[in-house]
Protein backbone atom coordinates (compact mmCIF):
# COMPACT_ATOMS: atom_id res chain seq x y z
CA UNK A 1 0.00 0.00 0.00
CA UNK A 2 2.81 2.41 0.92
CA UNK A 3 4.67 1.55 -2.29
CA UNK A 4 1.56 2.20 -4.40
CA UNK A 5 1.05 5.55 -2.70
CA UNK A 6 4.67 6.50 -3.40
CA UNK A 7 4.22 5.55 -7.05
CA UNK A 8 1.07 7.67 -7.17
CA UNK A 9 2.89 10.67 -5.69
CA UNK A 10 5.70 10.33 -8.23
CA UNK A 11 3.15 10.07 -11.05
CA UNK A 12 1.11 13.12 -10.04
CA UNK A 13 4.22 15.18 -9.37
CA UNK A 14 5.65 14.26 -12.79
CA UNK A 15 2.41 15.00 -14.62
CA UNK A 16 2.04 18.47 -13.17
CA UNK A 17 5.70 19.34 -13.73
CA UNK A 18 5.22 18.34 -17.38
CA UNK A 19 2.07 20.43 -17.72
CA UNK A 20 3.79 23.39 -16.09
CA UNK A 21 6.86 23.10 -18.33
CA UNK A 22 4.68 22.88 -21.43
CA UNK A 23 3.48 26.46 -20.93
CA UNK A 24 6.89 28.14 -21.53
CA UNK A 25 7.63 25.47 -24.18
CA UNK A 26 4.49 26.48 -26.09
CA UNK A 27 5.34 30.14 -25.62
CA UNK A 28 8.72 29.58 -27.27
CA UNK A 29 7.24 27.57 -30.15
CA UNK A 30 4.52 30.08 -31.08
CA UNK A 31 6.90 33.02 -30.63
CA UNK A 32 9.59 31.71 -32.99
CA UNK A 33 8.65 28.55 -34.87
CA UNK A 34 4.92 27.95 -35.35
CA UNK A 35 1.65 29.79 -35.68
CA UNK A 36 -1.04 28.93 -33.11
CA UNK A 37 -3.04 27.13 -35.81
CA UNK A 38 -0.01 25.17 -37.01
CA UNK A 39 0.85 24.15 -33.45
CA UNK A 40 -2.75 23.13 -32.75
CA UNK A 41 -3.01 21.16 -35.97
CA UNK A 42 0.22 19.31 -35.24
CA UNK A 43 -0.99 18.29 -31.79
CA UNK A 44 -4.42 17.20 -33.05
CA UNK A 45 -2.96 14.99 -35.80
CA UNK A 46 -0.31 13.52 -33.51
CA UNK A 47 -2.87 12.89 -30.76
CA UNK A 48 -5.23 11.12 -33.16
CA UNK A 49 -2.46 8.89 -34.50
CA UNK A 50 -0.90 8.00 -31.16
CA UNK A 51 -4.13 7.29 -29.26
CA UNK A 52 -5.70 5.25 -32.06
CA UNK A 53 -2.45 3.28 -32.18
CA UNK A 54 -2.54 2.73 -28.40
CA UNK A 55 -6.23 1.83 -28.58
CA UNK A 56 -5.52 -0.90 -31.13
CA UNK A 57 -3.65 -2.83 -28.42
CA UNK A 58 -6.45 -2.49 -25.86
CA UNK A 59 -9.88 -4.02 -25.57
CA UNK A 60 -12.20 -2.17 -27.90
CA UNK A 61 -14.96 -0.09 -26.33
CA UNK A 62 -18.04 0.63 -28.39
CA UNK A 63 -19.18 4.23 -27.96
CA UNK A 64 -22.93 4.77 -28.21
CA UNK A 65 -24.21 7.15 -30.88
CA UNK A 66 -25.59 9.67 -28.41
CA UNK A 67 -22.29 9.66 -26.57
CA UNK A 68 -20.36 10.27 -29.79
CA UNK A 69 -22.24 13.55 -30.18
CA UNK A 70 -21.08 14.62 -26.74
CA UNK A 71 -17.56 13.47 -27.58
CA UNK A 72 -17.69 15.48 -30.81
CA UNK A 73 -18.78 18.67 -29.03
CA UNK A 74 -16.30 18.01 -26.23
CA UNK A 75 -13.50 17.53 -28.74
CA UNK A 76 -14.26 20.85 -30.40
CA UNK A 77 -14.39 22.68 -27.07
CA UNK A 78 -11.79 20.91 -24.97
CA UNK A 79 -9.28 19.77 -27.57
CA UNK A 80 -9.48 21.96 -30.65
CA UNK A 81 -10.85 25.15 -29.08
CA UNK A 82 -8.85 25.03 -25.86
CA UNK A 83 -5.58 24.10 -27.55
CA UNK A 84 -5.90 26.80 -30.18
CA UNK A 85 -6.78 29.44 -27.56
CA UNK A 86 -3.96 28.13 -25.36
CA UNK A 87 -1.35 28.74 -28.04
CA UNK A 88 -3.04 31.94 -29.24
CA UNK A 89 -3.00 33.41 -25.74
CA UNK A 90 0.68 32.59 -25.28
CA UNK A 91 1.48 34.36 -28.55
CA UNK A 92 0.41 37.65 -26.93
CA UNK A 93 0.88 37.31 -23.17
CA UNK A 94 3.42 35.80 -20.79
CA UNK A 95 3.52 32.29 -19.27
CA UNK A 96 3.13 33.67 -15.73
CA UNK A 97 -0.05 35.60 -16.50
CA UNK A 98 -1.46 32.69 -18.51
CA UNK A 99 -0.67 30.03 -15.90
CA UNK A 100 -2.19 32.04 -13.04
CA UNK A 101 -5.42 32.66 -14.92
CA UNK A 102 -5.70 29.09 -16.25
CA UNK A 103 -5.29 27.82 -12.67
CA UNK A 104 -8.79 29.18 -12.02
CA UNK A 105 -10.37 26.43 -14.15
CA UNK A 106 -11.73 24.50 -11.11
CA UNK A 107 -13.41 27.70 -9.93
CA UNK A 108 -15.09 28.24 -13.30
CA UNK A 109 -16.13 24.56 -13.42
CA UNK A 110 -17.83 24.96 -10.04
CA UNK A 111 -19.68 28.08 -11.21
CA UNK A 112 -20.81 26.42 -14.47
CA UNK A 113 -21.93 23.31 -12.59
CA UNK A 114 -24.01 25.46 -10.26
CA UNK A 115 -25.46 27.44 -13.16
CA UNK A 116 -26.31 24.60 -15.57
CA UNK A 117 -26.45 21.50 -13.35
CA UNK A 118 -28.03 23.08 -10.28
CA UNK A 119 -25.24 21.97 -7.94
CA UNK A 120 -25.08 23.81 -4.63
CA UNK A 121 -22.03 25.83 -3.57
CA UNK A 122 -21.05 25.69 0.15
CA UNK A 123 -20.03 28.91 1.89
CA UNK A 124 -16.39 27.78 2.08
CA UNK A 125 -16.27 27.41 -1.70
CA UNK A 126 -17.99 30.75 -2.23
CA UNK A 127 -15.23 32.29 -0.14
CA UNK A 128 -12.66 30.45 -2.27
CA UNK A 129 -14.27 31.75 -5.47
CA UNK A 130 -14.08 35.33 -4.23
CA UNK A 131 -10.42 34.96 -3.25
CA UNK A 132 -9.50 33.47 -6.65
CA UNK A 133 -11.40 36.16 -8.51
CA UNK A 134 -9.56 38.85 -6.55
CA UNK A 135 -6.23 37.29 -7.59
CA UNK A 136 -7.33 37.07 -11.22
CA UNK A 137 -8.53 40.68 -11.11
CA UNK A 138 -5.10 41.74 -9.87
CA UNK A 139 -3.46 39.98 -12.81
CA UNK A 140 -5.94 41.40 -15.33
CA UNK A 141 -5.72 44.97 -14.05
CA UNK A 142 -1.95 45.13 -13.64
CA UNK A 143 -0.85 42.54 -16.21
CA UNK A 144 -1.38 44.89 -19.13
CA UNK A 145 0.58 47.65 -17.39
CA UNK A 146 3.68 45.44 -17.04
CA UNK A 147 3.70 44.23 -20.62
CA UNK A 148 7.37 44.34 -21.52
CA UNK A 149 7.44 40.58 -22.14
CA UNK A 150 4.04 40.30 -23.82
CA UNK A 151 3.34 41.68 -27.30
CA UNK A 152 -0.28 42.44 -26.35
CA UNK A 153 -1.10 41.39 -22.80
CA UNK A 154 -4.68 42.66 -22.93
CA UNK A 155 -5.46 40.50 -25.96
CA UNK A 156 -3.57 37.56 -24.47
CA UNK A 157 -5.57 37.85 -21.24
CA UNK A 158 -8.81 37.88 -23.26
CA UNK A 159 -7.81 34.70 -25.10
CA UNK A 160 -6.83 33.11 -21.78
CA UNK A 161 -10.20 33.89 -20.20
CA UNK A 162 -12.01 32.42 -23.22
CA UNK A 163 -9.69 29.38 -23.01
CA UNK A 164 -10.65 28.86 -19.35
CA UNK A 165 -14.36 29.09 -20.26
CA UNK A 166 -13.95 26.58 -23.10
CA UNK A 167 -12.01 24.12 -20.96
CA UNK A 168 -14.37 24.42 -17.99
CA UNK A 169 -17.37 23.98 -20.29
CA UNK A 170 -15.73 20.92 -21.80
CA UNK A 171 -15.22 19.37 -18.35
CA UNK A 172 -18.86 19.97 -17.42
CA UNK A 173 -20.46 18.54 -20.58
CA UNK A 174 -18.14 15.51 -20.76
CA UNK A 175 -18.40 14.66 -17.07
CA UNK A 176 -20.49 11.50 -17.53
CA UNK A 177 -18.63 10.43 -20.67
CA UNK A 178 -15.30 10.54 -18.85
CA UNK A 179 -16.69 8.23 -16.16
CA UNK A 180 -18.37 5.86 -18.64
CA UNK A 181 -15.43 5.15 -20.98
CA UNK A 182 -11.68 4.69 -20.58
CA UNK A 183 -9.43 7.73 -21.09
CA UNK A 184 -7.90 6.23 -24.25
CA UNK A 185 -11.33 5.72 -25.84
CA UNK A 186 -12.40 9.28 -25.09
CA UNK A 187 -9.06 10.73 -26.22
CA UNK A 188 -8.83 8.88 -29.54
CA UNK A 189 -12.31 9.96 -30.64
CA UNK A 190 -11.88 13.55 -29.50
CA UNK A 191 -8.52 13.89 -31.20
CA UNK A 192 -9.91 12.33 -34.38
CA UNK A 193 -12.92 14.67 -34.53
CA UNK A 194 -10.73 17.68 -33.76
CA UNK A 195 -8.15 16.77 -36.41
CA UNK A 196 -10.82 16.23 -39.07
CA UNK A 197 -12.53 19.53 -38.26
CA UNK A 198 -9.38 21.65 -38.36
CA UNK A 199 -7.76 19.92 -41.35
CA UNK A 200 -9.63 21.81 -44.14
CA UNK A 201 -8.79 25.18 -42.56
CA UNK A 202 -5.13 24.67 -41.77
CA UNK A 203 -3.74 21.92 -44.02
CA UNK A 204 -2.31 24.38 -46.54
CA UNK A 205 -0.64 26.36 -43.76
CA UNK A 206 0.98 23.35 -42.07
CA UNK A 207 3.91 22.96 -44.54
CA UNK A 208 4.64 26.69 -44.22
CA UNK A 209 5.51 26.46 -40.54
CA UNK A 210 9.08 27.61 -39.92
CA UNK A 211 9.78 24.53 -37.81
CA UNK A 212 9.18 22.32 -40.88
CA UNK A 213 11.59 24.30 -43.06
CA UNK A 214 15.35 24.22 -43.56
CA UNK A 215 15.63 26.98 -40.94
CA UNK A 216 14.62 24.69 -38.10
CA UNK A 217 17.05 23.82 -35.32
CA UNK A 218 17.57 20.96 -32.93
CA UNK A 219 16.21 23.09 -30.10
CA UNK A 220 12.96 23.75 -31.98
CA UNK A 221 12.48 20.06 -32.73
CA UNK A 222 13.20 19.19 -29.09
CA UNK A 223 10.58 21.68 -27.89
CA UNK A 224 7.94 20.26 -30.22
CA UNK A 225 8.90 16.70 -29.28
CA UNK A 226 8.40 17.59 -25.61
CA UNK A 227 4.94 19.03 -26.31
CA UNK A 228 3.91 15.95 -28.30
CA UNK A 229 5.53 13.09 -26.39
CA UNK A 230 5.38 14.37 -22.84
CA UNK A 231 2.48 16.82 -22.53
CA UNK A 232 0.15 15.29 -25.11
CA UNK A 233 0.91 11.63 -24.33
CA UNK A 234 2.92 10.69 -21.22
CA UNK A 235 1.34 13.08 -18.71
CA UNK A 236 -2.08 11.88 -19.85
CA UNK A 237 -1.33 8.41 -18.45
CA UNK A 238 0.19 9.72 -15.23
CA UNK A 239 -3.03 11.44 -14.13
CA UNK A 240 -5.42 8.45 -13.97
CA UNK A 241 -2.57 6.27 -12.66
CA UNK A 242 -2.17 8.66 -9.72
CA UNK A 243 -5.90 9.01 -9.17
CA UNK A 244 -6.25 5.27 -8.59
CA UNK A 245 -3.62 5.40 -5.85
CA UNK A 246 -4.20 8.75 -4.14
CA UNK A 247 -7.04 10.70 -2.62
CA UNK A 248 -8.52 13.20 -5.04
CA UNK A 249 -7.77 15.98 -2.55
CA UNK A 250 -4.06 15.08 -2.76
CA UNK A 251 -4.19 15.07 -6.55
CA UNK A 252 -5.90 18.46 -6.65
CA UNK A 253 -3.24 20.00 -4.38
CA UNK A 254 -0.49 18.84 -6.73
CA UNK A 255 -2.26 20.59 -9.63
CA UNK A 256 -1.17 23.86 -8.07
CA UNK A 257 2.39 22.99 -9.10
CA UNK A 258 1.61 23.94 -12.70
CA UNK A 259 1.53 27.75 -12.37
CA UNK A 260 4.50 27.62 -9.98
CA UNK A 261 6.65 25.57 -12.40
CA UNK A 262 5.56 27.65 -15.40
CA UNK A 263 6.29 30.92 -13.60
CA UNK A 264 9.72 29.90 -12.26
CA UNK A 265 10.88 28.59 -15.65
CA UNK A 266 9.47 31.53 -17.62
CA UNK A 267 11.18 34.08 -15.36
CA UNK A 268 14.44 32.09 -15.33
CA UNK A 269 14.69 32.00 -19.15
CA UNK A 270 13.59 35.59 -19.65
CA UNK A 271 10.05 35.04 -20.94
CA UNK A 272 8.68 37.07 -18.04
CA UNK A 273 9.81 39.25 -15.16
CA UNK A 274 9.02 39.15 -11.45
CA UNK A 275 6.82 42.07 -10.39
CA UNK A 276 5.23 42.60 -7.00
CA UNK A 277 1.66 41.71 -8.00
CA UNK A 278 2.46 38.25 -9.40
CA UNK A 279 3.39 36.49 -6.13
CA UNK A 280 0.40 38.12 -4.42
CA UNK A 281 -1.93 37.07 -7.24
CA UNK A 282 -0.50 33.55 -7.10
CA UNK A 283 -1.23 33.27 -3.37
CA UNK A 284 -4.80 34.53 -3.85
CA UNK A 285 -5.58 32.34 -6.87
CA UNK A 286 -4.07 29.14 -5.45
CA UNK A 287 -5.63 29.65 -2.02
CA UNK A 288 -9.04 30.11 -3.62
CA UNK A 289 -8.56 27.05 -5.84
CA UNK A 290 -7.55 25.00 -2.81
CA UNK A 291 -10.73 25.99 -0.95
CA UNK A 292 -12.84 25.18 -4.02
CA UNK A 293 -11.28 21.77 -4.71
CA UNK A 294 -10.88 20.62 -1.08
CA UNK A 295 -13.51 17.90 -0.53
CA UNK A 296 -15.86 18.01 2.44
CA UNK A 297 -14.58 16.06 5.42
CA UNK A 298 -17.56 13.70 5.45
CA UNK A 299 -16.77 12.27 2.02
CA UNK A 300 -14.94 8.97 1.84
CA UNK A 301 -11.76 8.51 -0.15
CA UNK A 302 -13.57 6.56 -2.87
CA UNK A 303 -16.29 9.17 -3.18
CA UNK A 304 -13.66 11.85 -3.61
CA UNK A 305 -11.95 9.90 -6.36
CA UNK A 306 -15.22 9.49 -8.27
CA UNK A 307 -16.18 13.12 -7.80
CA UNK A 308 -12.98 14.46 -9.37
CA UNK A 309 -11.99 11.71 -11.81
CA UNK A 310 -13.63 13.48 -14.75
CA UNK A 311 -11.40 16.51 -14.19
CA UNK A 312 -8.13 14.66 -14.17
CA UNK A 313 -8.90 12.32 -17.10
CA UNK A 314 -8.98 15.43 -19.30
CA UNK A 315 -6.14 17.33 -17.73
CA UNK A 316 -3.72 16.48 -20.55
CA UNK A 317 -4.83 19.61 -22.41
CA UNK A 318 -3.09 21.97 -20.03
CA UNK A 319 -0.91 22.95 -21.03
CA UNK A 320 0.26 23.76 -20.15
Amino acid sequence: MIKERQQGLIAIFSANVIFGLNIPVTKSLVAHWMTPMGYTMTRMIFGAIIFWAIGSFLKREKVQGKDLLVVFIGGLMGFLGTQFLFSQALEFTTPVIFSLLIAMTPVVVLLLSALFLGEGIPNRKIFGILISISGAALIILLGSAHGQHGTNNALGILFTIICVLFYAGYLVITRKISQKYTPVTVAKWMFLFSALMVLPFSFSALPNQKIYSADTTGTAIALLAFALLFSTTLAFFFMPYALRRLEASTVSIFMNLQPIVASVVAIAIGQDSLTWEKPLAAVLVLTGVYLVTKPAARKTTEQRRIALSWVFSANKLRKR
Side-chain angles (χ1 to χ4, degrees):
M1 181 66 70
I2 295 178
K3 185 177 180 180
E4 284 201 355
R5 179 174 176 80
Q6 291 174 340
Q7 292 173 344
L9 290 172
I10 293 173
I12 194 59
F13 178 84
S14 302
N16 283 286
V17 169
I18 290 172
F19 289 138
L21 288 173
N22 196 51
I23 294 175
V25 165
T26 298
K27 173 68 176 179
S28 182
L29 285 170
V30 299
H32 304 291
W33 299 103
M34 307 181 78
T35 64
M37 181 57 75
Y39 178 70
T40 303
M41 184 64 198
T42 300
R43 293 193 74 180
M44 294 304 102
I45 294 176
F46 180 84
I49 293 173
I50 194 70
F51 283 108
W52 276 90
I54 294 172
S56 66
F57 293 98
L58 304 176
K59 183 179 179 180
R60 183 184 176 189
E61 276 188 310
K62 184 178 180 180
V63 182
Q64 298 179 1
K66 63 178 182 179
D67 293 335
L68 276 178
L69 177 61
V70 178
V71 170
F72 173 75
I73 296 174
L76 295 185
M77 290 184 64
F79 283 40
L80 181 57
T82 299
Q83 286 303 313
F84 175 71
L85 291 165
F86 164 58
S87 53
Q88 189 73 65
L90 284 170
E91 183 180 25
F92 295 109
T93 192
T94 68
V96 174
I97 292 175
F98 176 85
S99 62
L100 289 177
L101 291 178
I102 207 74
M104 287 191 62
T105 299
V107 175
V108 180
V109 168
L110 181 65
L111 291 173
L112 291 179
S113 297
L115 183 62
F116 295 106
L117 303 180
E119 296 184 2
I121 304 179
N123 292 333
R124 171 176 55 82
K125 295 191 176 185
I126 292 176
F127 182 57
I129 290 172
L130 294 176
I131 292 178
S132 283
I133 290 176
S134 66
L138 188 62
I139 283 293
I140 293 171
L141 293 175
L142 298 181
S144 297
H146 300 153
Q148 65 270 29
H149 291 277
T151 57
N152 189 335
N153 271 346
L155 186 58
I157 287 171
L158 176 61
F159 279 124
T160 303
I161 293 172
I162 300 174
C163 179
V164 172
L165 292 173
F166 263 67
Y167 187 58
Y170 155 77
L171 293 177
V172 172
I173 68 172
T174 61
R175 182 173 185 172
K176 293 182 180 179
I177 297 298
S178 298
Q179 294 175 339
K180 188 174 182 179
Y181 303 102
T182 63
V184 172
T185 297
V186 174
K188 72 178 187 179
W189 281 106
M190 286 190 178
F191 270 119
L192 178 62
F193 287 143
S194 298
L196 291 176
M197 287 300 295
V198 77
L199 189 61
F201 303 100
S202 61
F203 184 75
S204 61
L206 200 57
N208 298 325
Q209 301 297 308
K210 186 179 179 181
I211 197 170
Y212 300 132
S213 71
D215 295 329
T216 191
T217 65
T219 299
I221 298 299
L223 291 173
L224 182 58
F226 178 89
L228 297 177
L229 297 176
F230 286 86
S231 180
T232 305
T233 307
L234 185 60
F236 171 79
F237 290 101
F238 281 154
M239 295 302 291
Y241 181 89
L243 191 62
R244 289 193 294 268
R245 290 161 175 79
L246 302 171
E247 300 85 354
S249 57
T250 301
V251 174
S252 65
I253 291 172
F254 271 88
M255 289 177 65
N256 294 331
L257 276 173
Q258 294 180 34
I260 296 173
V261 171
S263 299
V264 170
V265 173
I267 292 171
I269 64 177
Q271 288 183 348
D272 209 333
S273 58
L274 183 62
T275 51
W276 70 267
E277 80 277 2
K278 290 169 184 173
L280 176 58
V283 171
L284 292 173
V285 169
L286 298 182
T287 299
V289 169
Y290 172 75
L291 292 175
V292 166
T293 57
K294 185 176 183 296
R298 65 177 180 274
K299 288 188 176 182
T300 65
T301 297
E302 186 62 28
Q303 286 174 325
R304 287 179 232 162
R305 287 176 180 167
I306 295 174
L308 288 178
S309 61
W310 58 276
V311 174
F312 305 118
S313 66
N315 200 39
K316 64 184 181 300
L317 298 178
R318 302 239 334 246
K319 6 300 219 212
R320 15 35 297 303

